[in-house]
Amino acid sequence: MNKRRIGYAIMVFSLILCFVIDSAMAGTLPRFEWPFGGVVVGGNPSNSQTGPSGNGNNGIGDDQDYTESESESEVKPEDLEPVKPETKKVINDMTKAFNILLERGTRKFYEGYPVDDTFLHWVNKECGEAVILDLAYRLYEGYDSTALWYYHTGNTMHVLWLQYCRDLQFATYYLDNVKWLDCASDVVTLDFTGDINLADDWHTMQAAATKPNGIYDCIAPEITKELQSADLSVINNEFVFSDRGEPLAGKAYTFKAKTSNVSMLELFGADVANLANNHVFDFGADSLMDTIATLENAGITTMGAGANIKEASAIQYFVANGKKIALVTATQIERYSNYTKEATETTPGVLKTKHPERYYAVIREAAANSDYVIANIHWGTEGRYNYAADQMTLAKGFVDAGADVIIGGHPHRLQGVEYVENVPVMFSLGNFWFSTGTLYTMIAQVQIDAAGEVAVRTIPCIQKDLTTSMLSVEESDAFYKFMADISKDVVIDKDGYFYNTAGGQNADMKDGNNYQSGMRYDTYNGGIDLEGRPIDIVGNLR
């Protein structure tokens, strides 16, 4: 009897095993309910805790690498042919639609997130059955572009996942370092400025002290209006906020502002302060931590420095008009000294690019978790209008890692713009309010329109007599010629927008109405200011 039972058991087990193997080869494994919730295809639970940039398995299309799908069409969703009638016959109810989405959705389609039917039910509730059905139709017909999410919902997959986690209080670690912006229009506008210095014993603040209205007489009202109206304004905080600490011995320039000076950043519309530079450690670790605390207490996000390398490397995310934007930053300076400490696992400091792979990894993580990556970098040589080969090498590495825009600073001069594989690189924003010489400066503006296209623009400004103001239309002509001369393979239109002309692109822009790099409108010397006076490497009159 026992032998007969054992024989029956072996036979039943053999039949089940054959069914499973058959089903696996046919791609028709049954759906399993898991006790922690969610339905996944093939019985692979979708409770990974690693997210899109980790090594977890999300149970969706696991035979696909997490790279751009080879089958993904270049056709925009709005240009697709109508869904075929036979497709609608096959997917004729919500259950079948859910099955198709779970079975055919690749990791790329879901941007690597651990999607299960709970997420799809949430999308159904928030967006309606028509959205679920059309997503299923398109997947069934072989169109798996991630653009479908934004087309149907007004949010990218990255943003939908954040909303889902927020609404259900699920995997809330995805919400870390995420801020939600209310945009003024369907074009997201991000403004960036160069070096500012609020140190009490520096030329800028000494000049402000002589004015009837202090610093308010040093920053023109049109500057403040522009920066405060941007959806996001990012400054380079080239000093420390602290009421303690001694300057580092042997360092030529050290800058410290009273913590109460932080209120002055309102003039610059400051939402984010970039701390990855060579002056945030001028008065030691305690003053660096005071700087971070002072800014954060004022409601200003900091990036590029922290109590340890994890904080210094932290990516800052912003959700704007249904898109997720990542800001990252690091410093190449100092290259030959070590006054400014690099953060470690246990000590404060900044994120450096002495070993650039560390910053490349941050950019890669940002690219995996967002729709756009704007990489800030403190680099280059002071006093030079021309960017160097080491900057270009780093820029290429940033682009390969996933940067969509690169914005640089440190040289105390404007440097030009060049595209690297269609990614705009603004090599240096120069001094914004920093030095005594008369120098061109700018507000660098990044725009992301409703179609997801990225544009970069310069708003011409000048720093003269320790006052920063915008240039008039007439004055901007010389500024655009200057920018064209120090840039490569670009055209600048009369509104300050840059266009890539490398490889014959935008050839129609090369006309007398625009400013072309390579024209040599004039010659420029980084050792003199716009009035022909000698200046030092930081832009001060000699």
Side-chain angles (χ1 to χ4, degrees), residues 15-69:
L15 288 171
I16 292 173
L17 184 61
C18 289
F19 169 74
V20 170
I21 293 172
D22 239 5
S23 299
M25 294 181 69
T28 57
L29 277 169
R31 290 152 50 88
F32 293 88
E33 292 280 355
W34 291 87
F36 44 73
V39 177
V40 294
V41 179
N44 185 14
S46 60
N47 65 336
S48 164
Q49 296 294 306
T50 59
S53 62
N55 297 316
N57 189 334
N58 75 344
I60 303 295
D62 298 316
D63 57 327
Q64 301 288 327
D65 290 334
Y66 182 40
T67 57
E68 196 76 20
S69 168

Side-chain angles (χ1 to χ4, degrees), residues 56-174:
N57 189 334
N58 75 344
I60 303 295
D62 298 316
D63 57 327
Q64 301 288 327
D65 290 334
Y66 182 40
T67 57
E68 196 76 20
S69 168
E70 292 181 4
S71 65
E72 185 166 309
S73 171
E74 295 298 323
V75 179
K76 295 180 179 179
E78 57 267 31
D79 297 328
L80 289 171
E81 294 292 326
V83 175
K84 298 172 184 176
E86 52 267 34
T87 299
K88 293 185 177 182
K89 289 181 181 178
V90 172
I91 308 172
N92 56 12
D93 60 36
M94 293 301 291
T95 299
K96 291 176 180 175
F98 272 50
N99 284 342
I100 290 295
L101 287 168
L102 290 168
E103 292 166 4
R104 300 202 178 193
T106 61
R107 286 177 61 81
K108 178 60 184 173
F109 183 67
Y110 292 116
E111 298 282 15
Y113 293 109
V115 165
D116 60 14
D117 66 337
T118 307
F119 172 78
L120 296 179
H121 278 294
W122 176 85
V123 174
N124 182 35
K125 174 178 174 290
E126 295 294 318
C127 306
E129 292 185 0
V131 169
I132 294 292
L133 286 168
D134 198 74
L135 290 169
Y137 295 155
R138 297 307 184 184
L139 278 185
Y140 185 80
E141 293 182 352
Y143 183 81
D144 61 356
S145 171
T146 56
L148 282 169
W149 295 104
Y150 187 81
Y151 176 69
H152 281 300
T153 72
N155 294 291
T156 66
M157 181 63 204
H158 289 296
V159 175
L160 286 170
W161 186 257
L162 290 176
Q163 292 173 337
Y164 167 67
C165 292
R166 183 182 62 182
D167 289 356
L168 273 66
Q169 286 298 293
F170 163 77
T172 53
Y173 52 84
Y174 282 108

Side-chain angles (χ1 to χ4, degrees), residues 309-329:
I309 191 62
K310 181 179 179 181
E311 290 185 8
S313 306
I315 303 162
Q316 300 299 329
Y317 295 104
F318 299 88
V319 176
N321 288 352
K323 305 173 183 72
K324 188 179 180 186
I325 303 164
L327 295 187
V328 296
T329 188

